[in-house]
Amino acid sequence: MKAVRKSGALLGSAIALTMSAGAQAQQEEITYNSHVADIINENCVVCHREGGVGPMQFENYDQVRPWAPLISMKVANREMPPYAYDQHIGIQDLEGDWRLSQDEIDTVVAWVNQGSPMGDADIVVEQPSFPAPDDWTFASMFGQPDKKKRKKK
């Protein structure tokens, strides 16, 4: 009988702990305007913009929201931003490294799991500044190219 009481008390404690952790997680709502926009703007918009190489635009919440589940999957699997090197072998401190940190990945995934809320509409998300899509992105590092080949439209 004592074992049953101890099991019941343990089960009750576990349920209470789980419920309080769930309530705490719900209080810490992750929103696009407060948490995710900066991650998207710093890592995705360089390709996912008007005239960019990405197949869709991610320049604002209305453009990002329909793609949120796919973004979550691609980010969690480290497929986006595109990675061409191993995460655990060799030199990891790379110049111009555009890999997302684990915290950034966790933030995007949690945002999607919470229903991808926009957040406070009064928060103004600063838009990133990039050269025009047809400009040579690495001019500051390598100078202007000798030749340019235009993509077919």
Side-chain angles (χ1 to χ4, degrees):
M1 188 69 169
K2 285 185 180 180
V4 172
R5 282 188 207 155
K6 285 184 182 178
S7 296
L10 261 158
L11 182 60
S13 297
I15 290 171
L17 184 61
T18 302
M19 289 175 68
S20 70
Q24 184 178 5
Q26 287 177 353
Q27 289 174 356
E28 298 177 41
E29 182 180 51
I30 297 172
T31 67
Y32 178 81
N33 287 346
S34 295
H35 305 92
V36 177
D38 288 339
I39 297 170
I40 298 287
N41 285 340
E42 291 169 11
N43 298 283
C44 307
V45 175
V46 66
C47 295
H48 292 275
R49 60 186 171 131
E50 180 72 40
V53 297
M56 70 284 287
Q57 295 176 33
F58 292 158
E59 297 178 272
N60 59 52
Y61 176 77
D62 291 331
Q63 292 174 342
V64 171
R65 176 60 185 91
W67 297 100
L70 183 63
I71 292 168
S72 175
M73 182 186 78
K74 294 291 189 178
V75 164
N77 291 334
R78 295 188 180 271
E79 295 174 33
M80 284 288 161
Y83 303 104
Y85 36 82
D86 193 293
Q87 295 290 318
H88 306 288
I89 299 173
I91 299 169
Q92 296 297 309
D93 186 21
L94 304 169
E95 185 175 327
D97 188 0
W98 59 29
R99 292 177 290 180
L100 297 181
S101 70
Q102 190 60 51
D103 285 343
E104 291 171 321
I105 292 170
D106 293 344
T107 298
V108 171
V109 170
W111 172 67
V112 173
N113 289 342
Q114 292 178 9
S116 311
M118 182 172 92
D120 186 351
D122 293 334
I123 296 175
V124 177
V125 176
E126 188 174 328
Q127 295 299 310
S129 175
F130 295 111
D134 290 336
D135 287 351
W136 172 238
T137 307
F138 301 104
S140 63
M141 294 169 60
F142 303 115
Q144 291 297 326
D146 297 327
K147 281 187 173 182
K148 289 184 180 180
K149 186 170 181 174
R150 300 277 179 209
K151 64 181 179 182
K152 293 181 182 180
K153 294 186 179 200

